[in-house]
Amino acid sequence: MEAGAGSSSTKLVAACVIGGIVLGASVVALHLAGPVAIPALPPVDALRRRFRRGRRRPVRVYMDGCFDMMHYGHCNALRQARALGDELIVGVVSDNEITANKGPPVTPLHERLIMVRAVKWVHDVIPDAPYAITEDFMNKLFNEYNIDYIIHGDDPCLLPDGTDAYALAKKVGRFKQIKRTEGVSTTDIVGRMLLCVRERSASDSHNHSSLQRQFSHGHGQKIDDSGSGSGTRISHFLPTSRRIVQFSNSRGPGPDSRIVYIDGAFDLFHAGHVEILRLARELGDFLLVGIHTDQTISSTRGPHRPIMNLHERSLSVLACRYVDEVIIGAPWDVSKDMITTFNISLVVHGTIAENMDFMKDDLNPYAVPRAMGIYHRLESPLDITTSTIIRRIVANHEAYQKRNEKKEASEKKYYDSKSFVNGEIVVEYEC
């Protein structure tokens, strides 16, 4: 054996002897000291509480509004508000408060609640919210609802006495705002309906050009109000692919999903639409909604329809939490090729619609799914159609005309002073 190897062996033996002595001494010391108490592990509940304390509490944001004749502009405002927190709580102003501050609402509170609850970005709803953020209500939001911030658009929301409805929230530093640009407002939509009523009641010599065509293609930026001096703007909506993506779920059906298909105009998206979509979604795993073209609607319901153009209607439907995907410009007839292409399992239609005469025709658009045994008629929960909303406007023509004239002045001021918006392009939110 070489000298180096012998030296290594000697060192290894010495290390083992020393280690044994240390270990033996430790055992003797433990024996003399008596038993050592080992701390018990904390119970599972305590561990869970510690884990929750370590997690960040969800940021809760609050946004309120009338949400009268709810449209994609309202939905986009709620989408932006939700992006500022983790949970969005929405206050829906009472009918009495709206009447006192703006004039009579077109849709009653229970319908507006259905609409707001159906928006995919809304976590919870507070009914009968006040129009102005009072100190008592603000404290209730902070203490009972755990609200971190109050949200509103950067357009002024003034009370009848001229004061800012959100002054208190701004004063305590708990206010955040979203950007407003042109798009649509309840005032615009009411104006479109009033204009349709005037054109329809005009003499036969009147040039009945299609308002739908004007709305869809951006003509007629201002239409005179039969001598009243006020104007009614058509849609300012300029659709972009980014906006559609923002509203979309960005997911498709699974390989074994039961796909339910329902189609329609979905003009002036209302509570009746929401409820039939809710029932349709319950029949499957994925709800596909077909949105008919402006030309299809005009040919079946008259030249003054639709009130909202195809892309406006598509965004309103996409914002609904029950909808998974839409076909923008769906065909009138549901064909075998379409059923195969989208792997549709069930085609449904409600019992309440603008015109059910097509069910009696030989050219029934649902003839193919009926022959295949995959057609189903759903009992509509609410007896509301687009014509219902228009009749409400007509019945209170003078009140809504006065309401619109008041709003048009402030909106005209905005459009006249409009400048380039640096940042995300958003759609107008009307408080």
Side-chain angles (χ1 to χ4, degrees), residues 193-431:
M193 284 186 281
L194 292 175
L195 182 60
C196 287
V197 171
R198 287 194 298 273
E199 280 212 358
R200 190 164 56 229
S201 61
S203 65
D204 292 338
S205 60
H206 189 280
N207 179 19
H208 290 273
S209 61
S210 171
L211 287 179
Q212 165 267 317
R213 192 173 298 111
Q214 296 178 34
F215 296 154
S216 299
H217 299 291
H219 301 313
Q221 290 293 318
K222 189 172 183 179
I223 302 173
D224 186 65
D225 189 29
S226 301
S228 68
S230 63
T232 300
R233 289 186 308 275
I234 54 90
S235 171
H236 288 225
F237 178 56
L238 300 175
T240 65
S241 58
R242 186 163 69 103
R243 175 66 72 237
I244 294 173
V245 169
Q246 288 171 337
F247 273 53
S248 172
N249 287 343
S250 300
R251 64 174 181 268
D256 300 319
S257 294
R258 179 176 169 83
I259 300 174
V260 179
Y261 177 75
I262 184 171
D263 60 1
F266 298 100
D267 195 17
L268 297 178
F269 197 62
H270 52 70
H273 292 136
V274 167
E275 288 295 88
I276 199 67
L277 291 174
R278 176 180 61 82
L279 293 183
R281 182 62 175 78
E282 291 175 356
L283 296 176
D285 309 304
F286 192 91
L287 182 59
L288 177 64
V289 181
I291 315 292
H292 293 152
T293 67
D294 298 338
Q295 291 73 22
T296 297
I297 298 169
S298 292
S299 65
T300 57
R301 300 182 188 177
H304 301 288
R305 300 287 187 91
I307 302 297
M308 310 288 283
N309 69 42
L310 175 61
H311 292 96
E312 291 177 310
R313 293 181 283 116
S314 297
L315 286 184
S316 292
V317 175
L318 269 175
C320 181
R321 67 173 69 249
Y322 309 119
V323 176
D324 293 293
E325 191 171 7
V326 303
I327 300 176
I328 302 175
W332 177 252
D333 294 310
V334 181
S335 65
K336 176 67 181 301
D337 180 69
M338 178 179 169
I339 292 171
T340 304
T341 298
F342 291 99
N343 196 27
I344 295 170
S345 305
L346 187 66
V347 177
V348 301
H349 195 278
T351 55
I352 300 296
E354 291 286 321
N355 183 4
M356 298 293 288
D357 290 343
F358 64 83
M359 299 298 294
K360 306 172 187 176
D361 297 340
D362 294 334
L363 300 176
N364 189 320
Y366 304 105
V368 171
R370 289 179 71 178
M372 296 174 63
I374 62 170
Y375 176 79
H376 178 68
R377 285 189 70 182
L378 279 173
E379 189 69 31
S380 299
L382 296 177
D383 186 12
I384 303 174
T385 66
T386 300
S387 293
T388 304
I389 308 299
I390 294 176
R391 282 195 294 269
R392 292 175 184 175
I393 296 292
V394 173
N396 294 278
H397 178 279
E398 291 186 7
Y400 292 125
Q401 187 65 56
K402 290 178 181 178
R403 170 179 161 174
N404 266 26
E405 288 173 356
K406 284 165 53 177
K407 287 294 296 181
E408 280 170 357
S410 62
E411 291 190 6
K412 182 178 184 300
K413 183 178 180 181
Y414 162 72
Y415 281 101
D416 290 345
S417 60
K418 172 192 166 186
S419 59
F420 175 74
V421 177
N422 186 19
E424 182 188 0
I425 300 175
V426 298
V427 183
E428 170 182 344
Y429 167 71
E430 179 178 293
C431 70

Side-chain angles (χ1 to χ4, degrees), residues 146-165:
N146 297 318
I147 298 300
D148 295 288
Y149 297 102
I150 295 171
I151 315 293
H152 192 262
D154 62 349
D155 54 315
C157 189
L158 304 179
L159 300 174
D161 62 2
T163 58
D164 185 353

